[in-house]
């Protein structure tokens, strides 16, 4: 009797394990949900998703959403997009939003936009409700050297056809900045830009800055215009300072040359004085030779000494010194 009860328990446990494994591998609950939602799927298709390592819920739930919205989408396309790394929910939401807004958007196009790394649902929203892109403060310099700072608000609408391969918001901001700098730089005076800020918008719009981008520019509004630095005056001051430094360097060079020349002249004077001293040293020798040869008498010598002494006395009385002593 006990052996029969144990056998029944073992069989029940095995049945429960088999059923749990079956329902775990075969999403019967998901199939029932899809069936009553109007999505015609076979159990074999769900099993095939499991074998292909595709989560059935990530495919069936968006498929139910699309069916309820009246979209006809093949299950294989959803599986292929999932296996390619795409976001099925985002694509389905974008298709539903496009259908409600009467925008022509096919599944292949939406899937391509999603795989390109763009938010296709947000793109559909921006195409219905335009987006405002605010640029940072951009500075330009007018011809009179005054800096003008401007900030613009660009209203854009997404262009679905150019989302794949089209440039993004950074390109729009860069092109608008280029237009602001060009307009301010071509103005003769900064007052012209301050009086007519709409000239910046007109110049930018005429250039067709939205070509090659994923957006269509609807309007460009200048939100703020301010006067910045006097760049011209600053450049002139810097140039004057540079010229001053150059003049100082040249003057210092001339002064150095003059000092060097003065030192050379002092050295030359010393050389000439040495020659004079050398010449004066020859005088006593010449006088001695004259005395020996009889060309100079003793009385003549004493007369010369008296004259020299008299001259020295007069110089001492007048406060002058002999140049040879200096």
């Amino acid at each position: 009797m006990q052996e029969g009860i144990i056998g029944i328990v073992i069989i029940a446990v095995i049945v429960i394990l088999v059923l749990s494994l079956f329902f775990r591998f075969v999403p019967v609950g998901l199939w029932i949900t899809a069936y009553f939602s109007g999505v015609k799927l076979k159990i074999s298709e769900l099993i095939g998703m499991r074998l292909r390592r595709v989560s059935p819920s990530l495919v069936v739930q968006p498929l139910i959403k699309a069916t309820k919205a009246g979209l006809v989408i093949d299950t294989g396309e959803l599986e292929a997009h999932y296996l390619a790394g795409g976001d099925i929910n985002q694509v389905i939401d974008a298709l539903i939003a496009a259908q409600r807004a009467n925008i022509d958007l096919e599944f292949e196009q939406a899937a391509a936009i999603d795989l390109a790394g763009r938010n296709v649902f947000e793109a559909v929203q921006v195409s219905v409700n335009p987006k405002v892109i605010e640029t940072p403060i951009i500075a330009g310099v007018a011809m009179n050297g005054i800096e003008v700072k401007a900030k613009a608000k660009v209203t854009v609408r997404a262009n679905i056809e150019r989302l794949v391969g089209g440039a993004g918001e950074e390109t729009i901001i860069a092109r608008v900045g280029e237009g602001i700098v060009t307009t301010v730089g071509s103005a003769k005076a900064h007052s012209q830009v301050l009086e007519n800020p709409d000239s910046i918008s007109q110049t930018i719009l005429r250039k067709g800055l939205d070509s090659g981008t994923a957006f269509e520019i609807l309007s460009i509004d200048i939100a703020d215009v301010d006067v910045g630095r006097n760049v011209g005056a600053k450049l002139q001051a810097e140039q004057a300072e540079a010229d001053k430094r150059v003049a100082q360097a040249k003057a210092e060079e001339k002064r150095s040359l003059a000092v060097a020349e003065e030192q050379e002249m002092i050295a030359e004077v010393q050389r000439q004085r040495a020659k004079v001293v050398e010449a004066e040293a020859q005088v006593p020798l010449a006088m001695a030779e004259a005395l020996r040869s009889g060309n100079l008498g003793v009385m003549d010598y004493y007369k010369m000494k008296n004259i020299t002494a008299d001259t020295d006395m007069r110089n001492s009385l007048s406060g002058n010194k002999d140049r040879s002593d200096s």
Side-chain angles (χ1 to χ4, degrees):
M1 184 68 179
Q2 291 180 352
E3 293 179 356
I5 294 173
I6 294 173
I8 294 172
V9 172
I10 294 174
I11 293 173
V13 171
I14 294 173
V15 171
I16 291 172
L17 290 175
V18 171
L19 290 176
S20 62
L21 291 174
F22 175 79
F23 285 110
R24 182 177 179 82
F25 188 77
V26 181
V28 179
L30 188 62
W31 175 80
I32 294 173
T33 302
Y35 179 81
F36 285 102
S37 299
V39 178
K40 305 303 182 182
L41 284 175
K42 298 178 181 179
I43 291 290
S44 58
E45 292 179 342
L46 298 177
I47 296 174
M49 291 181 191
R50 289 284 192 191
L51 295 175
R52 288 188 291 271
R53 295 185 179 180
V54 177
S55 178
S57 61
L58 294 180
V59 175
V60 174
Q61 294 294 345
L63 187 60
I64 292 174
K65 190 191 304 184
T67 303
K68 289 297 182 181
L71 299 176
V72 179
I73 299 177
D74 183 54
T75 309
E77 293 179 340
L78 295 179
E79 282 192 66
H81 188 64
Y82 174 82
L83 292 172
D87 190 337
I88 299 176
N89 259 315
Q90 192 177 96
V91 172
I92 296 300
D93 290 341
L95 291 173
I96 294 173
Q99 183 193 44
R100 297 292 187 267
N102 292 325
I103 297 175
D104 188 16
L105 180 64
E106 300 295 332
F107 176 82
E108 291 79 5
Q109 188 178 8
I113 295 171
D114 182 60
L115 292 176
R118 295 188 182 273
N119 192 324
V120 62
F121 181 59
E122 182 183 352
V124 173
Q125 288 179 323
V126 174
S127 127
V128 176
N129 184 21
K131 178 181 181 181
V132 177
I133 301 174
E134 186 172 342
T135 67
I137 296 177
I138 299 170
V141 181
M143 291 184 180
N144 61 350
I146 304 298
E147 183 184 49
V148 177
K149 299 179 179 180
K151 180 189 292 186
K153 290 186 177 181
V154 186
T155 304
V156 298
R157 180 171 57 198
N159 191 329
I160 302 294
E161 296 179 356
R162 292 189 303 199
L163 278 175
V164 178
E169 295 182 14
E170 292 79 6
T171 302
I172 294 290
I173 294 175
R175 291 182 179 180
V176 170
E178 178 187 354
I180 292 175
V181 173
T182 302
T183 305
V184 174
S186 60
K188 293 183 178 179
H190 69 285
S191 57
Q192 295 180 356
V193 181
L194 298 178
E195 292 172 0
N196 301 304
D198 59 335
S199 61
I200 300 177
S201 305
Q202 294 173 2
T203 302
I204 296 173
L205 287 173
R206 282 198 300 268
K207 288 188 174 183
L209 300 181
D210 55 358
S211 61
T213 66
F215 301 97
E216 176 186 354
I217 296 179
L218 301 179
S219 67
I220 299 176
D221 303 308
I222 304 301
D224 187 21
V225 179
D226 292 324
V227 178
R229 303 167 299 166
N230 191 334
V231 179
K234 182 180 178 182
L235 292 176
Q236 290 177 358
E238 291 177 352
Q239 184 62 41
E241 182 66 23
D243 294 341
K244 175 184 173 183
R245 292 178 181 177
V246 172
Q248 288 177 343
K250 290 182 178 179
E252 183 65 23
E253 182 181 359
K254 290 182 179 179
R255 189 189 71 81
S256 300
L257 291 175
V259 170
E261 186 176 357
E262 180 184 3
Q263 295 298 323
E264 290 179 359
M265 294 302 295
I266 292 173
E268 182 65 24
V269 169
Q270 294 298 329
R271 283 195 295 271
Q272 295 300 327
R273 283 182 178 178
K275 291 181 180 179
V276 171
V277 171
E278 184 180 359
E280 288 179 348
Q282 298 295 325
V283 172
L285 297 176
M287 291 177 64
E289 182 64 28
L291 286 171
R292 283 194 297 269
S293 63
N295 293 326
L296 179 65
V298 175
M299 296 304 296
D300 295 330
Y301 176 74
Y302 279 111
K303 287 181 181 180
M304 184 187 69
K305 295 295 287 184
N306 289 332
I307 293 172
T308 302
D310 186 56
T311 302
D312 292 337
M313 181 184 66
R314 290 181 181 181
N315 287 334
S316 63
L317 291 175
S318 63
N320 296 328
K321 291 183 179 180
D322 191 9
R323 291 181 181 177
S324 63
D325 297 335
S326 60

